[in-house]
Amino acid sequence: MSDADVTQIAAATMMVAAKVAAPILLTALLVGFLISLFQAATQIQEATLSFVPKMIAVAIALLVTGNWVLSELVSFTHSLFDQLPALLDRT
């Protein structure tokens, strides 16, 4: 296994991690932004007002995108295991 192989696998891993994390992170970002706008408009500074809706929205995002996330991770793992014999032959 060469340095280029390791770099390619690391780049693919980071891309999969970004794709898998994006729905949850974007949901939390959007809900947090909307709650912040609401708090700024009403001057209500309650910590649970920010935390609870964000937690509920992230849980819903996990329920909606969980199947896709799992299939992406399984597909990536299968591709890594498929590449393994070719990577080991190059040593």
Side-chain angles (χ1 to χ4, degrees):
M1 185 183 308
S2 68
D3 293 341
D5 294 332
V6 172
T7 304
Q8 187 266 334
I9 290 171
T13 302
M14 286 187 274
M15 280 300 296
V16 169
K19 279 180 15 182
V20 165
I24 288 92
L25 292 176
L26 290 176
T27 301
L29 177 72
L30 180 65
V31 171
F33 179 72
L34 293 175
I35 296 297
S36 294
L37 281 178
F38 176 75
Q39 284 181 326
T42 61
Q43 294 184 354
I44 298 173
Q45 298 302 321
E46 179 66 31
T48 57
L49 184 63
S50 175
F51 179 71
V52 173
K54 208 182 300 185
M55 187 174 67
I56 292 170
V58 166
I60 291 171
L62 280 171
L63 287 173
V64 170
T65 63
N67 190 26
W68 174 77
V69 167
L70 186 61
S71 69
E72 285 290 319
L73 291 174
V74 168
S75 173
F76 180 68
T77 304
H78 280 285
S79 70
L80 280 180
F81 281 127
D82 289 342
Q83 292 175 10
L84 196 58
L87 292 173
L88 293 177
D89 286 341
R90 292 186 208 167
T91 59

